[in-house]
Amino acid sequence: MAEPQVDLASLSLFRATREQTEESRRRSFPQWGGPLSLTDYLARDATMESGEHAKDGKWITWVLAPRNNPTTLDFMSACETYKRTGLVAYPSTSPSEPNSVHEATCYGVACVFTPPSKRGRGYASRMMSLLHWVNVKHANLPKFPEAWGAPPEEVEDADAGLFSVLYSDIGEEFYRSAGPGGKGVDGRQRGSISTIWEVGTEEDDDDEGWKWLTEEQLNGLWERDAVRIKKELANIPTSDSSYKVESPMAFATYLPTDGVCGFHITKSTFASNFSMAGGFWGVESTRDPGTYASWSVDLRPPPPTLIVTRLCASEEMFPRLISKIKQAARRSGIGKVEVWNLRVGLKDVAEKTGGRTFIRNEHVPQIVWYGPGTTGNVEWAYNEK
């Protein structure tokens, strides 16, 4: 049953209490619980709170609640943010000099949910507008609208974000309309492109020159990968027709470290009977240090799909790498392999190896930039899972 409208100015954004956090998860369970029981769904998120991606205040649940009753369990809407470490590269003004690469704080936004009885009243939109004000330096935002009342209070472990992203399942317009100043935000969709391979039955038994990686071994891979990404950004071409805008004023990316890639494994396999054959969640070439991949798995809807979370390879090595990834999937009873946003040089090779590329209409990546210039002039690099 629909509830009466509450004046939006009487609401603000608050860091959720422990009780509100659990209530937000109970609310979202019917939508996102999948095959899990409510008990397992709550236990999964409680377990993930101790993960590297969440520790030290990096994972925060937010609620839109009355200013005069901020701890109520009858809050209007909720969402989550993940504080991450990223890199931003500003193009060099001299062809003989590398790009200027800087570490940056950035955010992932997730689990935006309003219960059906409270929908259609602008609560989620107001919550998303206020979220800018807790994750970004106010100097990088427009004037706070007086009609909204007072801005949200500053929250420890938040603030100073240079960009944020989310993966939308309801299209891009809703989030673009939720700007920090009462108008639309300069958020842009980026690279909702997937490539899928059917695994088939052909086996590749030749493991010579390859090393399979367990979940524990992936941390070392991602650390080396982060170093590689920084070096590549320093030398990335400042202009290319494959970019969203041909000559970006900045390149932005998350880093795969600190649990950013790793948490997908726990989230997707918790309380299931699934396990990767050999316990392997990655593979790397022992002959070419620039060829490697890591992955997770999507168990729903069935049948399961192997989702690549990070991939690095040259055009020459890519077919062999995909062959090894398909091998891992086949041995684990998985019928498909999916990669997001292959770079241009690999898309043609992917087609020759049986890959089918298409534009997704779910998990659509969107980015908002808070630094100098506009989001439209920023290239989201390494936009993978």
Side-chain angles (χ1 to χ4, degrees):
M1 180 177 178
E3 301 178 6
Q5 173 75 45
V6 173
D7 180 13
L8 292 176
S10 71
L11 306 172
S12 191
L13 190 68
F14 301 94
R15 185 174 190 163
T17 64
R18 166 50 56 186
E19 293 76 17
Q20 287 174 323
T21 296
E22 181 170 321
E23 172 63 16
S24 73
R25 294 169 182 172
R26 289 180 179 275
R27 291 182 180 186
S28 65
F29 167 72
Q31 182 80 20
W32 295 318
L36 297 178
S37 66
L38 175 59
T39 299
D40 285 338
Y41 184 73
L42 296 175
R44 182 198 67 183
D45 282 8
T47 298
M48 291 180 64
E49 288 176 354
S50 62
E52 191 63 36
H53 73 291
K55 292 192 303 185
D56 303 321
K58 291 196 288 285
W59 183 13
I60 296 179
T61 298
W62 303 91
V63 296
L64 184 75
R67 297 177 186 273
N68 61 3
N69 191 11
T71 62
T72 178
L73 296 183
D74 189 28
F75 52 86
M76 307 306 169
S77 192
C79 66
E80 299 171 358
T81 56
Y82 295 89
K83 188 176 185 178
R84 296 175 172 176
T85 299
L87 293 175
V88 173
Y90 297 100
S92 171
T93 57
S94 170
S96 61
E97 296 292 330
N99 302 322
S100 178
V101 182
H102 305 268
E103 193 170 283
T105 296
C106 42
Y107 290 91
V109 181
C111 298
V112 179
F113 190 83
T114 303
S117 63
K118 298 180 185 294
R119 291 177 185 170
R121 291 162 174 75
Y123 297 144
S125 180
R126 177 57 56 88
M127 176 178 66
M128 297 302 291
S129 291
L130 294 176
L131 193 62
H132 301 290
W133 291 91
V134 293
N135 287 336
V136 183
K137 290 181 178 179
H138 291 188
N140 291 343
L141 297 174
K143 182 181 178 182
F144 191 83
E146 292 183 7
W148 291 4
E153 295 180 0
E154 294 185 5
V155 173
E156 186 180 4
D157 302 320
D159 195 10
L162 191 57
F163 62 94
S164 63
V165 308
L166 58 81
Y167 296 88
S168 171
D169 286 330
I170 60 171
E172 62 177 315
E173 193 54 40
F174 168 74
Y175 297 104
R176 289 187 66 178
S177 68
K183 300 179 180 179
V185 65
D186 185 25
R188 299 301 176 98
Q189 177 179 328
R190 289 287 193 272
S192 53
I193 299 173
S194 285
T195 303
I196 288 182
W197 289 260
E198 300 291 337
V199 169
T201 59
E202 184 179 345
E203 184 69 21
D204 177 6
D205 289 323
D206 184 10
D207 285 343
E208 185 177 353
W210 296 91
K211 179 183 178 181
W212 296 103
L213 302 173
T214 64
E215 187 174 354
E216 292 72 23
Q217 291 172 313
L218 286 175
N219 288 327
L221 174 71
W222 291 323
E223 290 290 346
R224 298 192 301 274
D225 187 39
V227 173
R228 182 183 186 89
I229 289 173
K230 186 173 184 178
K231 290 181 179 178
E232 289 181 350
L233 282 177
N235 296 288
I236 195 170
T238 58
S239 179
D240 194 284
S241 60
S242 68
Y243 298 157
K244 195 70 175 180
V245 57
E246 189 163 337
S247 299
M249 54 77 62
F251 298 84
T253 187
Y254 290 132
L255 291 175
T257 48
D258 297 328
V260 170
C261 272
F263 91 99
H264 292 290
I265 298 173
T266 302
K267 185 173 184 178
S268 62
T269 61
F270 188 87
S272 75
N273 295 321
F274 178 83
S275 61
M276 288 296 300
F280 299 133
W281 294 93
V283 68
E284 63 180 339
S285 169
T286 57
R287 296 170 178 168
D288 179 0
T291 301
Y292 50 84
S294 62
W295 52 78
S296 179
V297 63
D298 189 352
L299 297 177
R300 71 179 184 95
T305 299
L306 185 150
I307 307 289
V308 174
T309 54
R310 182 71 184 102
L311 182 147
C312 183
S314 65
E315 284 86 343
E316 293 74 23
M317 289 295 293
F318 183 67
R320 285 299 316 279
L321 180 60
I322 284 295
S323 178
K324 302 312 290 183
I325 296 172
K326 290 167 65 177
Q327 177 182 331
R330 187 182 305 109
R331 291 178 176 178
S332 305
I334 299 174
K336 293 182 179 180
V337 168
E338 182 173 358
V339 179
W340 289 10
N341 299 313
L342 281 172
R343 62 178 175 84
V344 172
L346 297 182
K347 288 180 182 178
D348 292 340
V349 183
E351 184 177 355
K352 294 176 182 177
T353 60
R356 177 177 62 89
T357 298
F358 61 96
I359 298 176
R360 293 191 313 278
N361 57 12
E362 59 180 6
H363 313 317
V364 176
Q366 292 179 254
I367 184 170
V368 178
W369 170 259
Y370 303 109
T374 65
T375 303
N377 285 323
V378 174
E379 181 72 12
W380 183 353
Y382 306 97
N383 175 11
E384 299 174 343
K385 176 63 173 173

PDB file of all heavy atoms in Angstrom, residues 233-263:
ATOM      1  N   LEU A 233      49.160   4.274 -18.180  1.00  0.00           N
ATOM      2  CA  LEU A 233      48.491   5.573 -18.208  1.00  0.00           C
ATOM      3  C   LEU A 233      49.470   6.707 -18.479  1.00  0.00           C
ATOM      4  O   LEU A 233      49.117   7.707 -19.119  1.00  0.00           O
ATOM      5  CB  LEU A 233      47.764   5.823 -16.887  1.00  0.00           C
ATOM      6  CG  LEU A 233      46.435   5.109 -16.683  1.00  0.00           C
ATOM      7  CD1 LEU A 233      45.890   5.397 -15.291  1.00  0.00           C
ATOM      8  CD2 LEU A 233      45.419   5.509 -17.742  1.00  0.00           C
ATOM      9  N   ALA A 234      50.691   6.550 -18.000  1.00  0.00           N
ATOM     10  CA  ALA A 234      51.698   7.590 -18.239  1.00  0.00           C
ATOM     11  C   ALA A 234      52.021   7.721 -19.717  1.00  0.00           C
ATOM     12  O   ALA A 234      52.474   8.777 -20.169  1.00  0.00           O
ATOM     13  CB  ALA A 234      52.963   7.280 -17.442  1.00  0.00           C
ATOM     14  N   ASN A 235      51.766   6.640 -20.463  1.00  0.00           N
ATOM     15  CA  ASN A 235      52.123   6.641 -21.882  1.00  0.00           C
ATOM     16  C   ASN A 235      50.928   6.414 -22.806  1.00  0.00           C
ATOM     17  O   ASN A 235      51.112   6.204 -24.009  1.00  0.00           O
ATOM     18  CB  ASN A 235      53.179   5.562 -22.137  1.00  0.00           C
ATOM     19  CG  ASN A 235      54.479   5.828 -21.405  1.00  0.00           C
ATOM     20  OD1 ASN A 235      55.232   6.730 -21.753  1.00  0.00           O
ATOM     21  ND2 ASN A 235      54.737   5.055 -20.349  1.00  0.00           N
ATOM     22  N   ILE A 236      49.721   6.458 -22.261  1.00  0.00           N
ATOM     23  CA  ILE A 236      48.543   6.236 -23.093  1.00  0.00           C
ATOM     24  C   ILE A 236      48.423   7.360 -24.122  1.00  0.00           C
ATOM     25  O   ILE A 236      48.683   8.532 -23.808  1.00  0.00           O
ATOM     26  CB  ILE A 236      47.278   6.144 -22.213  1.00  0.00           C
ATOM     27  CG1 ILE A 236      46.116   5.556 -23.001  1.00  0.00           C
ATOM     28  CG2 ILE A 236      46.913   7.489 -21.617  1.00  0.00           C
ATOM     29  CD1 ILE A 236      44.918   5.210 -22.112  1.00  0.00           C
ATOM     30  N   PRO A 237      48.058   7.047 -25.366  1.00  0.00           N
ATOM     31  CA  PRO A 237      47.906   8.102 -26.376  1.00  0.00           C
ATOM     32  C   PRO A 237      46.896   9.151 -25.919  1.00  0.00           C
ATOM     33  O   PRO A 237      45.834   8.816 -25.381  1.00  0.00           O
ATOM     34  CB  PRO A 237      47.408   7.343 -27.607  1.00  0.00           C
ATOM     35  CG  PRO A 237      47.905   5.948 -27.419  1.00  0.00           C
ATOM     36  CD  PRO A 237      47.862   5.700 -25.945  1.00  0.00           C
ATOM     37  N   THR A 238      47.227  10.393 -26.105  1.00  0.00           N
ATOM     38  CA  THR A 238      46.341  11.460 -25.643  1.00  0.00           C
ATOM     39  C   THR A 238      45.158  11.688 -26.580  1.00  0.00           C
ATOM     40  O   THR A 238      44.218  12.394 -26.230  1.00  0.00           O
ATOM     41  CB  THR A 238      47.125  12.775 -25.489  1.00  0.00           C
ATOM     42  OG1 THR A 238      47.716  13.122 -26.752  1.00  0.00           O
ATOM     43  CG2 THR A 238      48.227  12.617 -24.440  1.00  0.00           C
ATOM     44  N   SER A 239      45.210  11.083 -27.748  1.00  0.00           N
ATOM     45  CA  SER A 239      44.116  11.229 -28.704  1.00  0.00           C
ATOM     46  C   SER A 239      43.946   9.927 -29.474  1.00  0.00           C
ATOM     47  O   SER A 239      44.929   9.319 -29.912  1.00  0.00           O
ATOM     48  CB  SER A 239      44.404  12.379 -29.676  1.00  0.00           C
ATOM     49  OG  SER A 239      43.361  12.522 -30.621  1.00  0.00           O
ATOM     50  N   ASP A 240      42.704   9.468 -29.595  1.00  0.00           N
ATOM     51  CA  ASP A 240      42.440   8.233 -30.327  1.00  0.00           C
ATOM     52  C   ASP A 240      40.959   8.185 -30.684  1.00  0.00           C
ATOM     53  O   ASP A 240      40.107   8.539 -29.863  1.00  0.00           O
ATOM     54  CB  ASP A 240      42.811   7.006 -29.481  1.00  0.00           C
ATOM     55  CG  ASP A 240      42.863   5.737 -30.308  1.00  0.00           C
ATOM     56  OD1 ASP A 240      41.780   5.224 -30.643  1.00  0.00           O
ATOM     57  OD2 ASP A 240      43.968   5.261 -30.607  1.00  0.00           O
ATOM     58  N   SER A 241      40.636   7.748 -31.874  1.00  0.00           N
ATOM     59  CA  SER A 241      39.245   7.729 -32.320  1.00  0.00           C
ATOM     60  C   SER A 241      38.403   6.724 -31.550  1.00  0.00           C
ATOM     61  O   SER A 241      37.164   6.783 -31.574  1.00  0.00           O
ATOM     62  CB  SER A 241      39.180   7.400 -33.821  1.00  0.00           C
ATOM     63  OG  SER A 241      39.757   6.120 -34.080  1.00  0.00           O
ATOM     64  N   SER A 242      39.034   5.791 -30.830  1.00  0.00           N
ATOM     65  CA  SER A 242      38.280   4.807 -30.060  1.00  0.00           C
ATOM     66  C   SER A 242      37.779   5.360 -28.735  1.00  0.00           C
ATOM     67  O   SER A 242      36.909   4.764 -28.089  1.00  0.00           O
ATOM     68  CB  SER A 242      39.147   3.569 -29.785  1.00  0.00           C
ATOM     69  OG  SER A 242      40.211   3.880 -28.897  1.00  0.00           O
ATOM     70  N   TYR A 243      38.298   6.515 -28.305  1.00  0.00           N
ATOM     71  CA  TYR A 243      37.865   7.111 -27.050  1.00  0.00           C
ATOM     72  C   TYR A 243      36.449   7.674 -27.198  1.00  0.00           C
ATOM     73  O   TYR A 243      36.004   8.006 -28.294  1.00  0.00           O
ATOM     74  CB  TYR A 243      38.807   8.241 -26.627  1.00  0.00           C
ATOM     75  CG  TYR A 243      40.231   7.834 -26.364  1.00  0.00           C
ATOM     76  CD1 TYR A 243      41.266   8.761 -26.451  1.00  0.00           C
ATOM     77  CD2 TYR A 243      40.561   6.525 -26.010  1.00  0.00           C
ATOM     78  CE1 TYR A 243      42.588   8.415 -26.202  1.00  0.00           C
ATOM     79  CE2 TYR A 243      41.880   6.159 -25.762  1.00  0.00           C
ATOM     80  CZ  TYR A 243      42.889   7.108 -25.866  1.00  0.00           C
ATOM     81  OH  TYR A 243      44.190   6.756 -25.622  1.00  0.00           O
ATOM     82  N   LYS A 244      35.772   7.840 -26.069  1.00  0.00           N
ATOM     83  CA  LYS A 244      34.433   8.431 -26.089  1.00  0.00           C
ATOM     84  C   LYS A 244      34.490   9.847 -26.637  1.00  0.00           C
ATOM     85  O   LYS A 244      33.611  10.279 -27.382  1.00  0.00           O
ATOM     86  CB  LYS A 244      33.857   8.438 -24.666  1.00  0.00           C
ATOM     87  CG  LYS A 244      32.378   8.696 -24.604  1.00  0.00           C
ATOM     88  CD  LYS A 244      31.581   7.529 -25.152  1.00  0.00           C
ATOM     89  CE  LYS A 244      30.083   7.743 -24.970  1.00  0.00           C
ATOM     90  NZ  LYS A 244      29.296   6.619 -25.492  1.00  0.00           N
ATOM     91  N   VAL A 245      35.508  10.602 -26.234  1.00  0.00           N
ATOM     92  CA  VAL A 245      35.818  11.886 -26.860  1.00  0.00           C
ATOM     93  C   VAL A 245      37.250  11.764 -27.354  1.00  0.00           C
ATOM     94  O   VAL A 245      38.121  11.259 -26.652  1.00  0.00           O
ATOM     95  CB  VAL A 245      35.646  13.062 -25.873  1.00  0.00           C
ATOM     96  CG1 VAL A 245      36.493  12.880 -24.632  1.00  0.00           C
ATOM     97  CG2 VAL A 245      35.965  14.382 -26.552  1.00  0.00           C
ATOM     98  N   GLU A 246      37.517  12.175 -28.574  1.00  0.00           N
ATOM     99  CA  GLU A 246      38.776  11.815 -29.227  1.00  0.00           C
ATOM    100  C   GLU A 246      40.011  12.294 -28.476  1.00  0.00           C
ATOM    101  O   GLU A 246      41.034  11.607 -28.447  1.00  0.00           O
ATOM    102  CB  GLU A 246      38.792  12.361 -30.662  1.00  0.00           C
ATOM    103  CG  GLU A 246      39.973  11.832 -31.469  1.00  0.00           C
ATOM    104  CD  GLU A 246      39.793  12.023 -32.961  1.00  0.00           C
ATOM    105  OE1 GLU A 246      38.640  12.151 -33.411  1.00  0.00           O
ATOM    106  OE2 GLU A 246      40.812  12.025 -33.682  1.00  0.00           O
ATOM    107  N   SER A 247      39.936  13.477 -27.854  1.00  0.00           N
ATOM    108  CA  SER A 247      41.081  14.015 -27.116  1.00  0.00           C
ATOM    109  C   SER A 247      40.642  14.362 -25.693  1.00  0.00           C
ATOM    110  O   SER A 247      40.318  15.512 -25.392  1.00  0.00           O
ATOM    111  CB  SER A 247      41.650  15.251 -27.816  1.00  0.00           C
ATOM    112  OG  SER A 247      42.113  14.932 -29.112  1.00  0.00           O
ATOM    113  N   PRO A 248      40.620  13.393 -24.786  1.00  0.00           N
ATOM    114  CA  PRO A 248      40.132  13.638 -23.417  1.00  0.00           C
ATOM    115  C   PRO A 248      41.034  14.599 -22.654  1.00  0.00           C
ATOM    116  O   PRO A 248      42.233  14.692 -22.920  1.00  0.00           O
ATOM    117  CB  PRO A 248      40.168  12.244 -22.779  1.00  0.00           C
ATOM    118  CG  PRO A 248      40.363  11.273 -23.890  1.00  0.00           C
ATOM    119  CD  PRO A 248      41.060  12.006 -24.978  1.00  0.00           C
ATOM    120  N   MET A 249      40.446  15.283 -21.683  1.00  0.00           N
ATOM    121  CA  MET A 249      41.245  16.145 -20.805  1.00  0.00           C
ATOM    122  C   MET A 249      41.781  15.371 -19.603  1.00  0.00           C
ATOM    123  O   MET A 249      42.621  15.855 -18.864  1.00  0.00           O
ATOM    124  CB  MET A 249      40.457  17.364 -20.352  1.00  0.00           C
ATOM    125  CG  MET A 249      39.110  17.097 -19.684  1.00  0.00           C
ATOM    126  SD  MET A 249      39.171  16.538 -17.962  1.00  0.00           S
ATOM    127  CE  MET A 249      39.950  17.947 -17.231  1.00  0.00           C
ATOM    128  N   ALA A 250      41.275  14.132 -19.413  1.00  0.00           N
ATOM    129  CA  ALA A 250      41.769  13.279 -18.326  1.00  0.00           C
ATOM    130  C   ALA A 250      41.348  11.836 -18.588  1.00  0.00           C
ATOM    131  O   ALA A 250      40.353  11.578 -19.282  1.00  0.00           O
ATOM    132  CB  ALA A 250      41.250  13.746 -16.973  1.00  0.00           C
ATOM    133  N   PHE A 251      42.124  10.913 -18.019  1.00  0.00           N
ATOM    134  CA  PHE A 251      41.792   9.496 -18.023  1.00  0.00           C
ATOM    135  C   PHE A 251      41.615   9.070 -16.560  1.00  0.00           C
ATOM    136  O   PHE A 251      42.452   9.395 -15.711  1.00  0.00           O
ATOM    137  CB  PHE A 251      42.908   8.665 -18.658  1.00  0.00           C
ATOM    138  CG  PHE A 251      43.176   8.994 -20.100  1.00  0.00           C
ATOM    139  CD1 PHE A 251      44.021  10.060 -20.438  1.00  0.00           C
ATOM    140  CD2 PHE A 251      42.607   8.256 -21.119  1.00  0.00           C
ATOM    141  CE1 PHE A 251      44.278  10.372 -21.758  1.00  0.00           C
ATOM    142  CE2 PHE A 251      42.856   8.560 -22.450  1.00  0.00           C
ATOM    143  CZ  PHE A 251      43.694   9.629 -22.771  1.00  0.00           C
ATOM    144  N   ALA A 252      40.546   8.351 -16.271  1.00  0.00           N
ATOM    145  CA  ALA A 252      40.269   7.946 -14.891  1.00  0.00           C
ATOM    146  C   ALA A 252      40.045   6.443 -14.826  1.00  0.00           C
ATOM    147  O   ALA A 252      39.447   5.852 -15.734  1.00  0.00           O
ATOM    148  CB  ALA A 252      39.040   8.676 -14.362  1.00  0.00           C
ATOM    149  N   THR A 253      40.518   5.825 -13.739  1.00  0.00           N
ATOM    150  CA  THR A 253      40.305   4.390 -13.563  1.00  0.00           C
ATOM    151  C   THR A 253      40.385   4.010 -12.096  1.00  0.00           C
ATOM    152  O   THR A 253      41.057   4.673 -11.302  1.00  0.00           O
ATOM    153  CB  THR A 253      41.353   3.575 -14.345  1.00  0.00           C
ATOM    154  OG1 THR A 253      41.008   2.176 -14.279  1.00  0.00           O
ATOM    155  CG2 THR A 253      42.754   3.750 -13.783  1.00  0.00           C
ATOM    156  N   TYR A 254      39.687   2.946 -11.746  1.00  0.00           N
ATOM    157  CA  TYR A 254      39.915   2.289 -10.465  1.00  0.00           C
ATOM    158  C   TYR A 254      41.142   1.412 -10.567  1.00  0.00           C
ATOM    159  O   TYR A 254      41.548   1.010 -11.665  1.00  0.00           O
ATOM    160  CB  TYR A 254      38.749   1.366 -10.107  1.00  0.00           C
ATOM    161  CG  TYR A 254      37.468   2.050  -9.747  1.00  0.00           C
ATOM    162  CD1 TYR A 254      36.272   1.641 -10.310  1.00  0.00           C
ATOM    163  CD2 TYR A 254      37.443   3.083  -8.823  1.00  0.00           C
ATOM    164  CE1 TYR A 254      35.081   2.247  -9.967  1.00  0.00           C
ATOM    165  CE2 TYR A 254      36.254   3.692  -8.477  1.00  0.00           C
ATOM    166  CZ  TYR A 254      35.077   3.273  -9.046  1.00  0.00           C
ATOM    167  OH  TYR A 254      33.907   3.881  -8.708  1.00  0.00           O
ATOM    168  N   LEU A 255      41.695   1.062  -9.419  1.00  0.00           N
ATOM    169  CA  LEU A 255      42.729   0.041  -9.365  1.00  0.00           C
ATOM    170  C   LEU A 255      42.111  -1.271  -8.883  1.00  0.00           C
ATOM    171  O   LEU A 255      41.146  -1.262  -8.110  1.00  0.00           O
ATOM    172  CB  LEU A 255      43.871   0.467  -8.443  1.00  0.00           C
ATOM    173  CG  LEU A 255      44.721   1.621  -8.961  1.00  0.00           C
ATOM    174  CD1 LEU A 255      45.748   2.056  -7.911  1.00  0.00           C
ATOM    175  CD2 LEU A 255      45.427   1.244 -10.260  1.00  0.00           C
ATOM    176  N   PRO A 256      42.653  -2.414  -9.305  1.00  0.00           N
ATOM    177  CA  PRO A 256      42.055  -3.711  -8.945  1.00  0.00           C
ATOM    178  C   PRO A 256      42.427  -4.195  -7.553  1.00  0.00           C
ATOM    179  O   PRO A 256      41.947  -5.238  -7.112  1.00  0.00           O
ATOM    180  CB  PRO A 256      42.631  -4.638 -10.019  1.00  0.00           C
ATOM    181  CG  PRO A 256      43.974  -4.057 -10.328  1.00  0.00           C
ATOM    182  CD  PRO A 256      43.790  -2.565 -10.239  1.00  0.00           C
ATOM    183  N   THR A 257      43.284  -3.447  -6.865  1.00  0.00           N
ATOM    184  CA  THR A 257      43.828  -3.867  -5.573  1.00  0.00           C
ATOM    185  C   THR A 257      42.862  -3.573  -4.422  1.00  0.00           C
ATOM    186  O   THR A 257      41.785  -3.019  -4.618  1.00  0.00           O
ATOM    187  CB  THR A 257      45.167  -3.167  -5.330  1.00  0.00           C
ATOM    188  OG1 THR A 257      45.010  -1.758  -5.611  1.00  0.00           O
ATOM    189  CG2 THR A 257      46.233  -3.716  -6.256  1.00  0.00           C
ATOM    190  N   ASP A 258      43.292  -3.927  -3.202  1.00  0.00           N
ATOM    191  CA  ASP A 258      42.512  -3.673  -1.984  1.00  0.00           C
ATOM    192  C   ASP A 258      41.128  -4.322  -2.036  1.00  0.00           C
ATOM    193  O   ASP A 258      40.136  -3.769  -1.544  1.00  0.00           O
ATOM    194  CB  ASP A 258      42.360  -2.171  -1.722  1.00  0.00           C
ATOM    195  CG  ASP A 258      43.698  -1.487  -1.474  1.00  0.00           C
ATOM    196  OD1 ASP A 258      44.596  -2.150  -0.914  1.00  0.00           O
ATOM    197  OD2 ASP A 258      43.853  -0.311  -1.851  1.00  0.00           O
ATOM    198  N   GLY A 259      41.063  -5.495  -2.655  1.00  0.00           N
ATOM    199  CA  GLY A 259      39.826  -6.257  -2.663  1.00  0.00           C
ATOM    200  C   GLY A 259      38.825  -5.877  -3.722  1.00  0.00           C
ATOM    201  O   GLY A 259      37.743  -6.461  -3.794  1.00  0.00           O
ATOM    202  N   VAL A 260      39.136  -4.900  -4.572  1.00  0.00           N
ATOM    203  CA  VAL A 260      38.181  -4.434  -5.573  1.00  0.00           C
ATOM    204  C   VAL A 260      37.814  -5.551  -6.545  1.00  0.00           C
ATOM    205  O   VAL A 260      36.640  -5.742  -6.878  1.00  0.00           O
ATOM    206  CB  VAL A 260      38.730  -3.203  -6.328  1.00  0.00           C
ATOM    207  CG1 VAL A 260      37.859  -2.864  -7.529  1.00  0.00           C
ATOM    208  CG2 VAL A 260      38.808  -2.014  -5.378  1.00  0.00           C
ATOM    209  N   CYS A 261      38.784  -6.301  -7.023  1.00  0.00           N
ATOM    210  CA  CYS A 261      38.489  -7.444  -7.887  1.00  0.00           C
ATOM    211  C   CYS A 261      38.088  -8.673  -7.067  1.00  0.00           C
ATOM    212  O   CYS A 261      37.216  -9.441  -7.466  1.00  0.00           O
ATOM    213  CB  CYS A 261      39.704  -7.787  -8.748  1.00  0.00           C
ATOM    214  SG  CYS A 261      39.789  -6.885 -10.307  1.00  0.00           S
ATOM    215  N   GLY A 262      38.711  -8.841  -5.917  1.00  0.00           N
ATOM    216  CA  GLY A 262      38.542 -10.076  -5.164  1.00  0.00           C
ATOM    217  C   GLY A 262      37.171 -10.276  -4.556  1.00  0.00           C
ATOM    218  O   GLY A 262      36.709 -11.420  -4.431  1.00  0.00           O
ATOM    219  N   PHE A 263      36.471  -9.189  -4.190  1.00  0.00           N
ATOM    220  CA  PHE A 263      35.208  -9.377  -3.479  1.00  0.00           C
ATOM    221  C   PHE A 263      34.133 -10.028  -4.343  1.00  0.00           C
ATOM    222  O   PHE A 263      33.179 -10.625  -3.835  1.00  0.00           O
ATOM    223  CB  PHE A 263      34.718  -8.049  -2.894  1.00  0.00           C
ATOM    224  CG  PHE A 263      33.810  -7.246  -3.782  1.00  0.00           C
ATOM    225  CD1 PHE A 263      32.434  -7.293  -3.609  1.00  0.00           C
ATOM    226  CD2 PHE A 263      34.326  -6.426  -4.779  1.00  0.00           C
ATOM    227  CE1 PHE A 263      31.589  -6.544  -4.414  1.00  0.00           C
ATOM    228  CE2 PHE A 263      33.493  -5.682  -5.574  1.00  0.00           C
ATOM    229  CZ  PHE A 263      32.117  -5.736  -5.402  1.00  0.00           C
TER     230      PHE A 263
END
